[in-house]
Amino acid sequence: MLITFEGIEGSGKTTQTELLSTYLADKGYRVVKTREPGGTHFGEALREVLLRRGMEVDSLSELLVVMAMRAQHVDEVILPALQDGKVVLCDRFVDATYAYQGYGRKIDLGVIETLNRLVTKGIRPNLTILMNVTAERGLKRKGAASSMDRIEEEGISFHQRVKKGYEKLAKEDPKRFFVVDGSLKVEAIHEIVRAKVGNVLKSYGV
């Protein structure tokens, strides 16, 4: 079972990933919590470079680095865990690339689809939880501009395009996406997520 959390910067997805991981582990599930970009030693090293402030990165170069990290991540972490019957919780996955590099950077979605299919070996999330907040609210949560990484410090129009991209992805695949109001309190969101995940696990006989 692969469950992914998606959303713009400051949407609260990382917090909810951690809360769900703890909850499922307490329930006796074998859980692997991971993230993108990163997830492996190789990926985390590249993440540090990818997000470094003040660095000029071509959009296509950014995409290819993301895909390189994902290929390693799938091969080293996600696929083995799924084959072992574990529940994998991933903070960002394939949809983030469509939203950020596709809608945000305006790279052709067909190119992204081809690369995603190659590096994921056909793996798709069973459930994607989209934390929905406005770009303005999300960036405000991130705090001082001095603490932002290279992606976070992009202009508001970029983040608005990413948000619209996520909304479009959710509308195109409503059976997989579960959209949650990210402006609610943390515990209220966790209860909503917990109930949804419980139903999905039951439906898959997990």
Side-chain angles (χ1 to χ4, degrees):
M1 171 73 66
L2 173 59
I3 300 171
T4 58
F5 282 81
E6 298 283 357
I8 62 170
E9 309 303 323
S11 62
K13 60 183 178 45
T14 300
T15 298
Q16 293 301 324
T17 304
E18 292 172 352
L19 288 173
L20 182 60
S21 176
T22 300
Y23 171 76
L24 291 178
D26 289 344
K27 287 288 186 180
Y29 289 96
R30 294 183 300 150
V31 181
V32 172
K33 178 171 68 72
T34 188
R35 71 172 183 175
E36 286 197 357
T40 64
H41 291 303
F42 173 75
E44 292 296 328
L46 285 180
R47 177 190 174 98
E48 193 279 326
V49 175
L50 182 72
L51 299 182
R52 188 178 299 164
R53 297 183 69 198
M55 182 177 291
E56 293 291 331
V57 181
D58 175 76
S59 295
L60 182 57
S61 297
E62 181 179 279
L63 172 64
L64 293 174
V65 170
V66 167
M67 290 298 177
M69 287 188 278
R70 182 165 299 144
Q72 184 77 15
H73 192 206
V74 167
D75 189 63
E76 185 178 323
V77 177
I78 296 177
L79 187 56
L82 293 176
Q83 290 174 337
D84 196 31
K86 295 175 181 176
V87 176
V88 179
L89 305 181
C90 193
D91 182 349
R92 295 202 195 285
F93 194 48
V94 293
D95 298 294
T97 314
Y98 291 110
Y100 278 82
Q101 284 71 46
Y103 291 97
R105 300 293 190 207
K106 302 181 180 179
I107 294 176
D108 183 86
L109 297 179
V111 172
I112 296 175
E113 182 178 2
T114 297
L115 291 172
N116 261 334
R117 191 164 55 245
L118 175 66
V119 302
T120 62
K121 300 179 180 178
I123 292 173
R124 285 176 55 81
N126 300 96
L127 171 67
T128 296
I129 298 167
L130 175 60
M131 303 294 293
N132 190 31
V133 297
T134 64
E136 293 80 3
R137 187 184 188 110
L139 291 175
K140 185 177 180 180
R141 285 177 176 176
K142 297 304 294 186
S146 60
S147 65
M148 290 184 175
D149 62 35
R150 186 179 65 83
I151 303 295
E152 292 167 348
E153 68 179 5
E154 288 283 354
I156 188 67
S157 60
F158 171 81
H159 294 287
Q160 288 170 339
R161 290 197 302 273
V162 172
K163 174 180 165 52
K164 288 179 180 177
Y166 271 128
E167 290 172 345
K168 187 169 183 180
L169 291 168
K171 287 179 181 178
E172 290 173 348
D173 197 355
K175 289 185 178 180
R176 175 167 65 88
F177 273 88
F178 180 63
V179 182
V180 180
D181 183 354
S183 67
L184 298 175
K185 291 184 178 180
V186 170
E187 186 53 41
I189 295 172
H190 176 54
E191 289 182 9
I192 293 169
V193 169
R194 203 168 58 197
K196 176 64 176 180
V197 170
N199 289 333
V200 171
L201 289 172
K202 279 184 182 179
S203 70
Y204 279 90
V206 178

